[in-house]
């Protein structure tokens, strides 16, 4: 299963990145709660590579690990059991004069009895709503 969404966010990456790495505040945008289980690796930016966060959404909990985080984007994966096997999320930042275009990619395999199309529809809807909320947040602060 592959999901790809694109959204323009009216802010530059130097403000966008720390907002997306403030894990425990991501509930402002995502229909989920995030709790840090382990801090980032030494010499990484706050919330960056090595950080483990427990995500609870739709009555499911799972652990995500931040693999990479810098001004070009964020890469993360589910560690252990989760709604998707071999899950990886790649969030790419493409800077423009007016802000940042986010290219959000998710890939993985449905792990369970739910139909793939249904899982894909729910994830895509949740991510699209989160990106919309993120754009509104930065539009209102600019």
């Amino acid at each position: 299963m592959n999901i790809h969404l694109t959204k323009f966010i009216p802010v530059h990456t130097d403000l966008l990145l720390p907002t997306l790495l403030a894990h425990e505040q991501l509930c402002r945008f995502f229909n989920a709660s995030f709790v840090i289980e382990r801090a980032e690796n030494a010499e990484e930016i706050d919330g960056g590579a090595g950080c483990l966060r427990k995500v609870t959404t739709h009555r499911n909990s799972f652990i995500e690990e931040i693999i990479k985080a810098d001004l070009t984007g964020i890469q993360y994966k589910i560690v252990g059991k989760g709604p998707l096997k071999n899950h990886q999320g790649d969030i790419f930042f493409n800077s423009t004069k007016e802000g940042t275009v986010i290219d959000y990619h998710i890939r993985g395999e449905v792990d369970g009895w739910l139909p793939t199309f249904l899982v894909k529809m729910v994830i895509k809807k949740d991510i699209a709503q989160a990106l919309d909320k993120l754009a509104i947040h930065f539009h209102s602060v600019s």
Side-chain angles (χ1 to χ4, degrees):
M1 177 186 74
N2 289 300
I3 296 171
H4 177 230
L5 294 163
T6 302
K7 182 75 175 180
F8 174 77
I9 309 295
V11 70
H12 292 284
T13 56
D14 58 337
L15 294 176
L16 180 60
L17 179 64
T19 300
L20 291 175
L21 293 178
H23 304 294
E24 293 182 335
Q25 296 178 21
L26 288 176
C27 61
R28 298 179 293 171
F29 312 113
F30 294 89
N31 293 324
S33 65
F34 297 80
V35 176
I36 294 176
E37 298 278 311
R38 182 182 74 200
E40 66 280 345
N41 297 333
E43 299 185 26
E44 291 289 336
I45 59 176
D46 287 346
C51 182
L52 292 180
R53 60 189 185 189
K54 181 179 180 182
V55 182
T56 303
T57 183
H58 302 289
R59 297 186 307 247
N60 291 311
S61 291
F62 51 92
I63 302 293
E64 290 181 343
E65 179 179 8
I66 305 300
I67 300 167
K68 176 184 108 42
D70 60 27
L71 292 176
T72 65
I74 300 169
Q75 190 175 55
Y76 66 94
K77 66 179 181 179
I78 290 179
V79 178
K81 186 147 178 66
L84 297 177
K85 293 187 297 186
N86 304 316
H87 170 276
Q88 184 163 321
D90 296 299
I91 306 168
F92 300 106
F93 301 152
N94 298 306
S95 295
T96 70
K97 284 184 188 178
E98 297 81 26
T100 304
V101 176
I102 293 180
D103 282 319
Y104 201 127
H105 300 262
I106 295 175
R107 64 181 178 273
E109 304 163 32
V110 175
D111 188 17
W113 55 270
L114 289 172
T116 298
F117 81 90
L118 182 60
V119 174
K120 183 175 183 176
M121 182 181 72
V122 169
I123 293 172
K124 192 171 187 175
K125 180 180 177 238
D126 283 353
I127 299 296
Q129 286 177 344
L131 292 174
D132 288 344
K133 289 177 185 177
L134 191 63
I136 290 166
H137 169 76
F138 281 111
H139 182 72
S140 66
V141 296
S142 59

